[in-house]
Every structure is written in structure tokens, then in C-alpha cells.
Amino acid sequence: MLDLKKFEIWFVTGSQDLYGEETLKQVAAHSEEIAGSLNHASQIPVRVVFKPTVKSTEEIYRICQEANVAENCIGIITWMHTFSPAKMWINGLKILQKPLLHLHTQFNRDIPWATMNMDFMNLNQSAHGDREFGFIVSRMRIERKVVVGHWKDEGVLDQINEWSRAAAGWNDWQGAKFVRFGDNMRYVAVTDGDKVEAELKFGFSVNTYGIGDLVAVINQVSDGEIDKLTAEYVERYAVMASLLKGGDQHSSLREAAKIEIGMRHFLVDGGFKGFSDTFEDLHGMAQLPGIAAQRLMNDGYGFAGEGDWKTAALVRAMKVMGSGLKGGNAFMEDYTYHFDPANPMVLGSHMLEVCESIADGKPSCEVHPLGIGGKADPVRLVFNVAGGPAINASIVDMGNRFRMLVNEVEAVAPEHDLPNLPVARVLWKPYPDLKTGCAAWILAGGAHHTGYSQNLTSEHMQDFAEMAGIEFVKIGKETNLYQLKNELRWSEVAYK
Ligand code: MN
């Protein structure tokens, strides 16, 4: 979706002048080699940029200041090769606005038993140098990720990968604009929330446009543009016969294409990264946008239905985080349960708008009536979703804080056809099991709308929540309700 290689993570090594020039030369050479190796690691999707060793309060302040204003810098990795007295870091850390990862590593993997002397010990003392740094970051109550291990270790690279993807999503939110066509679905609670607080906390803004503003753009769409897009539909999807040229519902396909083109113009012209609409406010539109929302999501736009701006923004961030990975990210809703004790499952779907990026195989393009909204039959893509590990993520507004909730699930390939359910759908089993997972979700106040991901894990989402400084609650294999209830109760105090 996005090429994450345009983003930089700065590799900053801390030391001091105490050791003399020769030692500092070695520190610099080692740091450059580590930064270069991380930069070339296939697991890490962003560029890792070596920065000269910082050795004083002034140098540290300057590098933090530069990181703050460098547009492509989405975070910094710090490492204390030797020992960097941490009071030197206070002024810099006080102003640092980019995400921080503390890499607790050392240049050598093994202790060189036969040759080790005091010079070696003096040079390679991250084991305690990093603790001095860790203290001041904790003392200053700054959120950061701590990664421990040798810099060539696969697990270390995986953790840096996850964090840098979270940082890319976080960076994308800063200054992002989301548009809400119409207001929130009437009387619905969880999809609403404090947009002012969200902008303070998350950096993105959400503003409403009347549906008439969008309809005006849709009505400008030319027949030529519609011809081109309907041809693309026919090439890309298994389009049902009645929608094809000469079919008695071909005008519905053209109408759907017109809506997609108009929405795309509106989003591009306004510099929006995502949108929400609601079936209760479609004045002047012939259909509820189905295929339009599905395809715009596939192109990287965040989306959620019924005015749910929080989930729209979350879906966008998840798409940025998952850029370049196999699998997709989609707007999702827990729809219906299969309560068979031998095989309990959740069927996830939405009225229409599940993102094409998670489709297993070629979607079919169909038109069917929609029971609500009172508009013409909307065109939509229908598909199944493959099995495999996945997550559902949700951000809710608890009044005094935002909470991110993640449930790890195992998607299962469908064993039955659903000939009378003409929408995209997914089947999954929540961890630790359906009863506990769903009870935990409800106790934590998780929304019915989620961002569903095939390529992100709860680690990505936790890193992201920590960058945002919000509460993170994970429901996974180890969840038990007794502990979870306590966690929620204790968090209530922590966020007072
Ligand atoms: Mn919904």
C-alpha cells in the first residue's frame, strides 16, 4: 500500500568523552556496522540511519530536536555502547516527540573467553550502560519499547520490525484527516466519542461533510469515467450476469461505479485518509456505497460504517502498519455465532463493506436488496476469507481515556456454502475460547466494529497503543476472566 522505505529510524548511540578518542572511534565503527546491518535486514521495512555518537547534554538535545522536525524520521533507536551518564539525556528526552525504542544489545555476541581483558570490558559495557539509560527513561515516565538481544538475533529483528511498523502507522496519523459523511448512526454509543480528545491524543482530525457535498461531486462524474471503471469491474471480478452490459441491472453497476469515482475524487481533493458514512443519511445517493467502500479500503483508505470514525482511523493505521506484508486489513463486525459446543465459531461480516484485501480468491460482484436504508439495491463484492491467525482490534472511548482492545483469533476456512448470504464473510475462533474471549471483549467494552488483520499481531497493536499513550488490553491464549477483571479494575485507578 505505502512504501515504508521512505521512512527512517535513526540509530543513536550514547557514550561520553571519558574513554578517549581511540575507544570512541571503535564505538562509532561498531554502531555504523549495527545500523547498516539493521538497514539491510529484510525483516525491517524502513530505513535505519546511522547517526554519530552522542556524548554530551548538548549533542543529545540537538539530535532529539532534529528527529522531531525531520519529516521522514518516524522514531529513534537508542543504544548505550559504553556508558552514557543519563542526566545528559534529560533535556533531550524532555523534548523528544518521536517514538523511542531502546535496543539493549552489545556488539559481540559471545564473551571472548581467551582474549578478554579490561580494555574489552571497558568498551563493551552496554549490560550496565543501558541500565543507566533505562533508569532515566523510567524516571521520566516515557513510554518506549525495550528490545533485548544480539543485533543479529532473529527475534530482535522481528521486534524492531513490529515497532517500526507501529511507528509508521503512528506517523501516518499525525495531521491525518478523516471525513464523516453525515453524523453517527442515531442512538449508537460505542461508535461515537470525543473527537477533540482524539485529535489531542492521536493527532488526526475528523470532520463532517453533508452528504449533499459528496452527491454534488458524484453528479460531476462523466460517462467516460464510468465506462472505464465498469470495464475494470468486469475484468477483475466475477460479475453476475444481470449486472453486465445488456443485463437488466446494468444501470446498478454503473451507479455503483459513479459513486466510487465520486467518493475517490472527494477523498483525493480533500486530502483525506479515510471516511465513514451511514445508511441513515444518503440523501441524493441511489445506493449505499458497497463496492466503493470495499475497493477504496483496498487502496489504503480507512473506512467504517455508521459514522464510526474511530474504527475508520484504526483501519487506516492498520493498513499502513501492514504495508508490504502478505494478507490484508479490513473493517469488520462480529455478526453471528455458531454455538455448536464441538465447534464454536464467530461469523464476521458487515452489511456490505468488508475490504477486498482479505478475500480468498476472486470476489464475485453482485447486487441484492438491502433490508435497511430504503435505497436501491447496492452492488457489493462477495467472497470468503482463508483460515489462519488473525486479530480483531477496537478503540473505545471510556470517557476518561481511550482503550485499545485486541482479540487474537484463528480464522477457519468455511466448510459450508452460504448461497443466501450475499456479503463477504469470515469465520473465526476467538482465543482463548469463544465463551471466555467474548465475555472478556464485552467486559472490556470492546466495540461491535473492529479492524480485522491477517498480517498484524497484538505486538504491533501494543507498540502502537504505547506510542499513543493509551490503555492496551489483550485477549489471547493466556486470558482468564478473573485476571482480566482485575486488570480492568486496576487500570481504572491507573488512569484516574
Ligand atoms: Mn455496523
Side-chain angles (χ1 to χ4, degrees):
M1 196 205 99
L2 260 182
D3 182 11
L4 299 184
K5 280 289 175 211
K6 73 173 183 178
F7 294 127
E8 296 176 355
I9 299 290
W10 289 5
F11 190 88
V12 179
T13 307
S15 186
Q16 60 180 324
D17 282 316
L18 183 74
Y19 307 105
E21 210 170 308
E22 212 36 54
T23 305
L24 285 174
K25 263 189 206 162
Q26 270 185 292
V27 167
H30 287 170
S31 299
E32 201 162 0
E33 189 176 338
I34 295 176
S37 169
L38 296 178
N39 188 40
H40 291 111
S42 59
Q43 295 95 324
I44 298 176
V46 299
R47 280 183 289 145
V48 178
V49 178
F50 165 78
K51 292 286 167 183
T53 314
V54 288
K55 307 173 296 297
S56 65
T57 307
E58 293 74 19
E59 286 174 0
I60 292 165
Y61 184 82
R62 208 171 306 129
I63 195 82
C64 292
Q65 204 173 33
E66 286 170 15
N68 285 345
V69 295
E71 219 169 289
N72 289 332
C73 173
I74 59 169
I76 71 169
I77 295 178
T78 54
W79 171 49
M80 307 305 122
H81 187 321
T82 45
F83 189 89
S84 183
K87 285 192 216 166
M88 287 181 186
W89 284 85
I90 293 174
N91 275 305
L93 289 174
K94 238 162 78 179
I95 60 154
L96 182 68
Q97 291 162 350
K98 298 283 167 89
L100 174 64
L101 183 147
H102 179 192
L103 179 58
H104 185 42
T105 190
Q106 64 184 19
F107 185 71
N108 54 300
R109 193 194 72 173
D110 300 341
I111 293 175
W113 307 104
T115 58
M116 186 160 69
N117 55 22
M118 276 316 290
D119 285 346
F120 182 93
M121 292 269 276
N122 254 333
L123 179 63
N124 299 285
Q125 49 177 297
S126 311
H128 67 271
D130 271 328
R131 286 168 202 244
E132 165 74 358
F133 178 77
F135 164 73
I136 203 66
V137 186
S138 291
R139 171 70 176 76
M140 294 175 75
R141 273 81 175 169
I142 294 172
E143 290 281 7
R144 80 289 202 186
K145 185 174 179 101
V146 178
V147 176
V148 180
H150 191 248
W151 46 283
K152 286 187 176 166
D153 179 87
E154 288 292 323
V156 166
L157 295 175
D158 287 344
Q159 282 187 287
I160 296 175
N161 168 27
E162 285 153 8
W163 175 82
S164 57
R165 287 181 175 281
W170 179 244
N171 181 73
D172 184 75
W173 264 12
Q174 306 315 303
K177 295 197 287 179
F178 293 90
V179 53
R180 206 161 61 146
F181 297 117
D183 203 338
N184 192 55
M185 181 179 165
R186 289 189 276 273
Y187 303 107
V188 176
V190 77
T191 50
D192 221 327
D194 186 341
K195 299 203 288 298
V196 176
E197 188 60 25
E199 188 160 350
L200 280 167
K201 207 76 198 166
F202 299 135
F204 64 73
S205 65
V206 182
N207 286 290
T208 299
Y209 282 76
I211 198 71
D213 297 325
L214 172 62
V215 168
V217 179
I218 291 172
N219 287 339
Q220 299 291 313
V221 174
S222 72
D223 282 343
E225 287 176 287
I226 297 173
D227 291 342
K228 220 174 123 197
L229 187 57
T230 48
E232 187 184 328
Y233 289 169
V234 172
E235 191 190 307
R236 197 178 161 100
Y237 311 114
V239 178
M240 69 194 276
S242 64
L243 287 174
L244 293 171
K245 210 174 259 176
D248 60 358
Q249 288 173 300
H250 183 59
S251 62
S252 296
L253 191 72
R254 292 188 65 83
E255 192 59 47
K258 186 177 167 186
I259 291 171
E260 179 184 331
I261 296 161
M263 287 187 121
R264 201 177 284 273
H265 284 321
F266 196 101
L267 294 170
V268 171
D269 292 348
F272 297 110
K273 290 179 171 173
F275 67 104
S276 176
D277 58 18
T278 169
F279 65 91
E280 286 177 334
D281 189 356
L282 295 173
H283 300 287
M285 287 181 85
Q287 313 170 3
L288 175 64
I291 190 171
Q294 292 178 292
R295 284 170 45 87
L296 286 162
M297 254 188 286
N298 195 37
D299 290 339
Y301 288 101
F303 171 82
E306 294 122 31
D308 186 352
W309 52 273
K310 290 193 296 301
T311 305
L314 180 62
V315 168
R316 163 68 187 193
M318 291 170 81
K319 284 182 170 289
V320 172
M321 286 191 254
S323 283
L325 296 175
K326 201 170 159 283
N329 291 276
F331 169 50
M332 189 58 67
E333 184 163 72
D334 294 70
Y335 234 95
T336 290
Y337 293 128
H338 186 60
F339 269 148
D340 173 5
N343 188 26
M345 287 184 289
V346 180
L347 186 142
S349 185
H350 204 257
M351 288 188 300
L352 304 169
E353 316 94 331
V354 174
C355 177
E356 187 191 340
S357 65
I358 61 168
D360 185 21
K362 191 179 193 173
S364 66
C365 177
E366 305 179 15
V367 64
H368 301 277
L370 189 69
I372 54 175
K375 291 282 165 180
D377 301 354
V379 176
R380 78 291 303 271
L381 298 173
V382 181
F383 52 83
N384 286 315
V385 175
I391 56 166
N392 275 311
S394 164
I395 292 178
V396 292
D397 183 346
M398 295 300 292
N400 60 349
R401 65 186 185 278
F402 290 103
R403 166 182 289 162
M404 179 183 283
L405 187 61
V406 171
N407 188 191
E408 299 175 336
V409 306
E410 188 70 28
V412 283
E415 287 172 13
H416 303 277
D417 287 338
L418 289 158
N420 294 310
L421 184 76
V423 287
R425 58 271 176 152
V426 199
L427 287 168
W428 67 74
K429 292 172 180 290
Y431 284 113
D433 56 74
L434 188 137
K435 283 186 180 177
T436 312
C438 293
W441 188 272
I442 286 169
L443 286 167
H448 51 278
H449 285 168
T450 59
Y452 177 87
S453 180
Q454 295 174 317
N455 54 25
L456 300 174
T457 63
S458 47
E459 282 74 26
H460 292 100
M461 303 315 290
Q462 181 170 8
D463 287 350
F464 186 79
E466 284 174 359
M467 286 171 195
I470 63 168
E471 183 186 6
F472 178 79
V473 177
K474 173 180 144 184
I475 303 168
K477 286 177 187 166
E478 63 296 319
T479 295
N480 77 65
L481 291 179
Y482 172 77
Q483 285 299 344
L484 182 104
K485 282 186 193 178
N486 277 335
E487 182 186 338
L488 297 176
R489 200 174 286 136
W490 295 332
S491 292
E492 211 52 59
V493 181
Y495 286 89
K496 269 257 147 61

